[in-house]
Amino acid sequence: MSAWRQAGLNYINYSNIAANILRRSLKPQLKTEAMRRDESHVRITPWANGKPAHEKD
């Protein structure tokens, strides 16, 4: 059994922890670029009757 599985983690959690540790250990000039790659943007579109339903603001 792998170490991350014995620690009670799934692979996604394990890889996220490892990536964060790696980003924090980089030199300052490389760290800022790596931290930008860490950001993610998610857009959620609700669907109704098989078509995207646009919510009115």
Side-chain angles (χ1 to χ4, degrees):
M1 184 179 263
S2 59
W4 52 269
R5 183 93 50 200
Q6 288 176 345
L9 299 171
N10 61 27
Y11 184 74
I12 299 295
N13 290 341
Y14 165 76
S15 63
N16 282 336
I17 292 169
N20 286 333
I21 291 170
L22 176 67
R23 285 186 202 102
R24 288 191 308 220
S25 66
L26 292 172
K27 293 180 180 179
Q29 64 268 23
L30 300 174
K31 191 176 193 177
T32 55
E33 185 179 333
M35 294 304 271
R36 265 189 255 130
R37 278 191 235 120
D38 186 37
E39 296 175 8
S40 62
H41 303 281
V42 177
R43 183 181 199 176
I44 298 174
T45 303
W47 287 70
N49 299 324
K51 295 183 181 180
H54 299 286
E55 295 179 11
K56 295 182 180 180
D57 294 328

